[in-house]
Amino acid sequence: MSAPYRPGQQWPNSGPQRPERPPPIQFRQEAPTPPPNRTLQWAMRAAGLVVVAVVSGLVWYAVTNGDSSTPPDTGGESSAEEPGGVYQFTAYKGMPEPDRVTDCAAHAYGKPIQNLLQSTPCDHLTRQLFVTKVDDRTIYTSVSVVVMRTQEDALALVELTDQNETGNVSDVVRDGVVKIEGIDRLSTRDGYASKQSGREVIIVESDFAEKDKTDDKAADENILDPVSTDAIRLAARVDGDSGTG
């Protein structure tokens, strides 16, 4: 039997108890991301380009100036090499610039050639001496560019110089323009090549340094002829007007 009811007293809740509900979930709205600072972006890009330019400049300086050592004395070669071709030619250090004359007959040998150049004078003759090496053997190469007054005169000259025992335009050693110990001309091993183009005749003669000659003259010539042929391309350096006439 239950206890008696008293005034002011709440009746006990004898029904089932409802569970307490959790508070409702509240969603917070994230603050919007501020727009990017375009001024800062461009400043950073510009700084990056400056860094790249500075690094590139330092690399270029290191490549072009990294070797400050004095090149060794090569005995007969200058430091500037002619690009391209088969052989690497350098101007003889005792003749860094070409020699130019207008009296070709006075700088030729052999009666047939001298007579031709007297009867059909040239416009001018330009010559220069170059050096190359084959199997550590030094080769001296004289490149002569003869510019005649007509194409017919040039053809007559090259046909005569290509024959034996007719003479030729003097190479710079034979003519005394350059002095090389033990050598008085560049024709002792018959290293030779020629080319005629328009009014121009290119004549090349090559020979070994005295210490590098062998007893086999034919074998030496077999090496010197290709060297002379390759040196024909040097005519443009010897005569700035080469190929224009």
Side-chain angles (χ1 to χ4, degrees):
M1 184 172 181
S2 61
Y5 171 75
R6 292 185 177 89
Q9 182 180 6
Q10 292 183 348
W11 292 99
N13 188 358
S14 59
Q17 300 291 321
R18 282 190 288 179
E20 294 185 1
R21 293 181 180 179
I25 299 174
Q26 296 181 353
F27 294 94
R28 293 184 179 181
Q29 185 175 2
E30 297 290 337
T33 304
N37 189 327
R38 295 189 178 275
T39 301
L40 179 60
Q41 286 182 337
W42 282 111
M44 293 178 67
R45 290 176 184 176
L49 291 175
V50 170
V51 171
V52 170
V54 171
V55 172
S56 299
L58 291 174
V59 171
W60 173 253
Y61 180 84
V63 170
T64 56
N65 298 278
D67 185 6
S68 59
S69 60
T70 303
D73 184 6
T74 56
E77 303 175 45
S78 68
S79 58
E81 292 185 348
E82 287 296 318
V86 179
Y87 302 94
Q88 294 297 319
F89 293 95
T90 57
Y92 181 68
K93 69 177 182 179
M95 191 180 187
E97 298 296 331
D99 169 73
R100 182 180 173 119
V101 297
T102 55
D103 188 352
C104 293
H107 298 276
Y109 64 95
K111 280 296 181 181
I113 294 294
Q114 289 175 331
N115 291 339
L116 174 67
L117 291 173
Q118 287 170 351
S119 60
T120 55
C122 71
D123 180 83
H124 66 270
L125 163 66
T126 312
R127 299 170 294 179
Q128 191 170 4
L129 184 65
F130 296 88
V131 185
T132 190
K133 287 182 180 292
V134 175
D135 297 330
D136 287 331
R137 300 169 68 189
T138 298
I139 297 174
Y140 297 102
T141 297
S142 178
V143 179
S144 302
V145 181
V146 187
V147 179
M148 303 298 289
R149 296 182 179 179
T150 68
Q151 182 172 334
E152 291 73 21
D153 291 347
L155 182 60
L157 174 62
V158 75
E159 287 178 346
L160 194 56
T161 58
D162 285 350
Q163 299 177 32
N164 293 326
E165 307 301 329
T166 58
N168 208 329
V169 173
S170 297
D171 65 71
V172 292
V173 178
R174 180 190 288 268
D175 217 19
V177 179
V178 174
K179 301 291 185 183
I180 299 177
E181 185 177 356
I183 299 178
D184 60 1
R185 62 191 186 281
L186 298 180
S187 56
T188 65
R189 290 298 185 273
D190 294 332
Y192 176 80
S194 66
K195 178 182 178 181
Q196 180 259 332
S197 176
R199 299 187 302 121
E200 177 182 285
V201 178
I202 305 167
I203 298 171
V204 181
E205 291 183 280
S206 300
D207 207 345
F208 285 106
E210 190 64 26
K211 65 181 179 62
D212 291 326
K213 295 177 181 178
T214 70
D215 294 332
D216 192 339
K217 183 178 178 180
D220 284 354
E221 183 181 353
N222 288 338
I223 297 173
L224 294 170
D225 281 347
V227 171
S228 298
T229 300
D230 188 44
I232 287 177
R233 63 186 169 87
L234 303 178
R237 168 171 175 171
V238 175
D239 191 314
D241 296 327
S242 177
T244 62

